[in-house]
Amino acid sequence: MSPEIVLAILNIVLAGIFGAIVGSFTNVCIYRIPEHRTIVKGHSMCMTCGHELGALDLVPIFSWLFLGGKCRYCKTPISSRYIKIESLTALAYMIMAASHLALFLDPMDPSKNVFPFIELCALFIMINIVIVEMMIMKDTGSSMYVMTVALGIDYLVQVLAKVLNVATGNSSDSLSSLFRSISIRFFGGAIIGLLAVILSVLLVRGGRSVHSYFQDKDQKALRTSDLFAIALCAAIGLIPAIVAATVYLIARLLIKNSNSIKYLGTVLAAGAALGYYAYAFYQLAI
Ligand SMILES: [Zn+2]
């Protein structure tokens, strides 16, 4: 095997381990935030017998497997949610690392990698916001606002990392070509998201006016999810946005009851991930 391949595999495995650890922390957030408990201190304990958990009980993924999904002390079954979220985060991080391999291929010059790495970290954080959102808030109107703002901040961090990369001479792009590609990506994605929203409103509401859609108090949560859809499409860019917008449109047409927006954000996020990763792999392949 060539050193590049060894290095690529090593980086993907490390991203997976990092993802499992972050997934474990994500579980703590999902469990403690709704109870208004701190997420930064305090020991983890068994929810049935209250026994404090040791280091061996807290190894992401493996502890659950080796203990057969049971508490070491009282043998009460532990929810499979823990291992599911840890492995989901690990898998997402591995795919993310695999689609950003160029970032790791110049280990002799780490200065070149600092800003692309910040960009990758912003994507990592976004994944976990989506997971926490779908587990705790279940796509309520207010959580869609939180996600839209988080997405905006995430996008700004990515743009800033790109600009700094050009400004410090680590990228051969010029600033003007960078801004051109950023605006095509942003506005292209936003327009595709907007089209999906307009189409879904027209198709779902049939002859009724679009005007009443914006007046209706009951539709507030749904409108917030529209905002999230547009923001998400803008953030992931032109081509992946086509997949995300199509998934959103289909979900809106299938879920006729407008009050039932539960998991709409999750479906949209899954569509966005599909488009994003498929496009990243397509670029790797050509
Ligand atoms: Zn126990």
Side-chain angles (χ1 to χ4, degrees):
M1 273 198 283
S2 71
E4 277 85 13
I5 295 180
V6 174
L7 194 65
I9 294 174
L10 188 70
N11 280 313
I12 294 173
V13 169
L14 283 177
I17 295 173
F18 181 52
I21 295 169
V22 177
S24 180
F25 178 67
T26 306
N27 271 320
V28 173
C29 295
I30 291 167
Y31 179 64
R32 292 190 187 176
I33 290 173
E35 298 191 344
H36 302 289
R37 283 169 56 195
T38 170
I39 50 170
V40 285
K41 49 183 188 191
H43 293 281
S44 297
M45 53 172 84
C46 169
M47 271 161 241
T48 311
C49 65
H51 200 293
E52 215 167 81
L53 301 181
L56 271 180
D57 305 312
L58 293 169
V59 183
I61 301 176
F62 292 99
S63 287
W64 196 93
L65 286 180
F66 287 130
L67 296 171
K70 290 190 183 86
C71 169
R72 186 194 298 274
Y73 311 99
C74 67
K75 307 290 175 211
T76 309
I78 301 164
S79 165
S80 64
R81 190 191 83 193
Y82 293 94
I83 188 170
K84 281 177 192 157
I85 288 187
E86 283 159 6
S87 8
L88 180 70
T89 317
L91 183 71
Y93 277 37
M94 285 167 90
I95 298 174
M96 205 62 107
S99 60
H100 285 75
L101 270 187
L103 205 167
F104 304 108
L105 291 183
D106 198 0
M108 292 304 145
D109 188 358
S111 71
K112 273 190 186 167
N113 297 331
V114 172
F115 299 121
F117 186 71
I118 294 172
E119 198 189 320
L120 188 64
C121 288
L123 288 168
F124 282 166
I125 294 167
M126 193 60 224
I127 290 174
N128 287 285
I129 291 174
V130 171
I131 293 176
V132 171
E133 190 276 345
M134 71 187 196
M135 293 307 292
I136 302 177
M137 307 200 195
K138 302 222 168 52
D139 297 352
T140 56
S142 61
S143 80
M144 290 295 188
Y145 282 125
V146 172
M147 279 181 87
T148 306
V149 171
L151 205 58
I153 295 172
D154 179 74
Y155 187 73
L156 283 179
V157 170
Q158 288 188 55
V159 170
L160 195 65
K162 279 201 174 75
V163 170
L164 287 173
N165 208 25
V166 171
T168 52
N170 286 327
S171 167
S172 53
D173 288 350
S174 71
L175 269 183
S176 64
S177 73
L178 179 74
F179 279 118
R180 196 165 47 241
S181 71
I182 287 175
S183 10
I184 290 174
R185 202 185 109 169
F186 183 82
F187 290 110
I191 289 168
I192 289 171
L194 189 63
L195 281 177
V197 167
I198 294 172
L199 262 179
S200 68
V201 173
L202 285 176
L203 290 172
V204 171
R205 296 182 70 83
R208 273 181 293 167
S209 75
V210 177
H211 178 73
S212 65
Y213 178 76
F214 290 96
Q215 298 295 315
D216 202 339
K217 271 204 171 65
D218 294 339
Q219 307 276 350
K220 197 163 171 271
L222 203 55
R223 287 197 299 270
T224 320
S225 81
D226 291 341
L227 177 73
F228 173 61
I230 297 168
L232 187 65
C233 286
I236 59 175
L238 199 59
I239 296 171
I242 296 173
V243 181
T246 310
V247 169
Y248 185 71
L249 185 60
I250 293 171
R252 282 286 301 272
L253 294 182
L254 292 180
I255 311 169
K256 282 268 161 79
N257 179 6
S258 56
N259 295 323
S260 166
I261 60 151
K262 220 173 158 189
Y263 304 120
L264 193 55
T266 310
V267 170
L268 179 63
L274 185 74
Y276 186 86
Y277 291 133
Y279 186 55
F281 277 111
Y282 167 75
Q283 282 181 314
L284 268 186
I286 57 167

